[in-house]
Amino acid sequence: MTGTAGGQLFAQLAALLAPQGVGDASALVILEPSGKDVGAGGAGTPAAAEALADLANTVPAAAATFLDTGGTYDDLWDFVLRSAVPTGPAGDPARVTLANLVNDNRADFELMARARMGSVGDLYHPVLAEPADWLSEQGWTSASFRVGGHDPNPAPSPGVQIPHELPELEWRLIAARENIQPQRLWQEPELAAADRIQTETFADPDRVVDVTAKVAPAVTDTPSGVELSFQYRVIGLQRPWLRAHLCQLKGWAIPGLPAGRLSNGMAEGNPGILPVLTTRMLVVRNLAAKAHWSDTDRARAASAETLALGPFTLAGADRDGSVLTRQAPQVVAWLAAVLPACPPGEANDADTPAALGKVVSRGPLTVRSDHTTKAAMVGSLNAGQTVALACKVKGEPVDGNTVWYRLGQDPRGWAAARYIKNLGPVPPCPAP
């Protein structure tokens, strides 16, 4: 059976990411909507370490195309380590195992934190790349194949999940920058607003792409399809401060968070806030795309608005007749392990939040007994802490922001939304 260009490309990139499969694990291949530029050289410098962490610590949704969930691995894992509690009976050896794992991981998490350059008090957690010199001139492998002809889709690598809906080989256009809100998957306009837009930011702040922007299929004049050639490297990603096997343990929960809210363990239909863990990324350079382009495609390729063909960015590409070339390295795909159902249990808690938030105040954020600054203080949250949010109401304005969040965890109470960046839609609190 003849495959589609998108299906053929997906399978070819999956084979490069996992040529031997992934054993018994369940893994997803996630394609970029437009390749992310990664510069050249500089490995081993503090700036390079920070840039790699920003690139690789973004949590994607469990989908065939990279969609930013709005969270980062270090923020969410900080929340897990601070909030996990045992649910088994007293004296259960599993409680000791859980406590030891959480305490050891917490110590590593705090020890491995690094200060951002030029930002006092702002920390990040590094991602280790294998090989460490992944942007050096050595170690690249050449690949070439055709997509869009009469060939069937290549067979998937063992253990790699092939989604029912695959991204097609399409032109993606630059959306007007002023129409896009960068860095946030979920926006928080007014309390009653229901519509939110999905956006994504890339390594280059001048290139912002609306992943829901209009796209057009790539069509060629002949059935020969598109010939793609490039050099590539598969980069392993390790986060020694994140011990994901915590999700394989039973007998624990996060107060205020339903069982399976981090991940339901499924490769598809997984709405968790931490559904997958990226373990490899595919970097390509010296890209060439050759085809007998249709007149329409030649016009799109020459347009200043064209950003990408499939997962490959074409920003700044050279065009010579039927060949499009781009030399700069870019990340075009990821391999991600699906996390097991996590947390495994559910604490007995009436405040079950629909979202998490990150404290963005410069110092400790006061938690109050009511949604006003005149209410009694019942506790505080640390700057940078990830917290569970149960619901929201309108209260006393704080710097013009009238929204207050009811916390779904200890300390119980209310905190001003002015100092909390929500990582998901927060429902209104029920009427008293």
Side-chain angles (χ1 to χ4, degrees), residues 3-10 31 65 165-172 215-218 309-311:
T4 65
Q8 294 164 359
L9 178 60
F10 187 93
L31 303 190
T65 300
E165 295 186 10
L166 293 173
E168 279 302 326
L169 184 64
E170 296 173 313
W171 299 103
R172 191 171 296 276
V215 293
L309 176 64

Side-chain angles (χ1 to χ4, degrees), residues 19 21 35 48 76 78 124 130 147 159 181 184 188 190 204 234 247 258 273 295 302 316 318 400 419 426:
L76 291 174
D78 179 37
Y124 75 94
E130 177 58 41
V147 298
Q181 299 294 326
R184 297 290 296 279
E188 187 77 48
E190 296 297 329
D204 181 351
V234 177
C247 286
I273 56 179
D295 291 340
D318 295 320
Y419 298 109
V426 182

Side-chain angles (χ1 to χ4, degrees), residues 17 36 38 55 134-135 140 230-235 281-285 329-333:
L17 273 167
K36 292 177 178 172
V38 290
L55 175 71
W134 57 283
L135 281 176
W140 297 84
F230 49 79
Q231 292 180 307
Y232 75 93
R233 296 191 81 168
V234 177
I235 313 302
M281 62 182 183
L282 179 64
V283 183
V284 307
R285 70 176 189 180
Q330 55 179 295
V331 178
V332 299

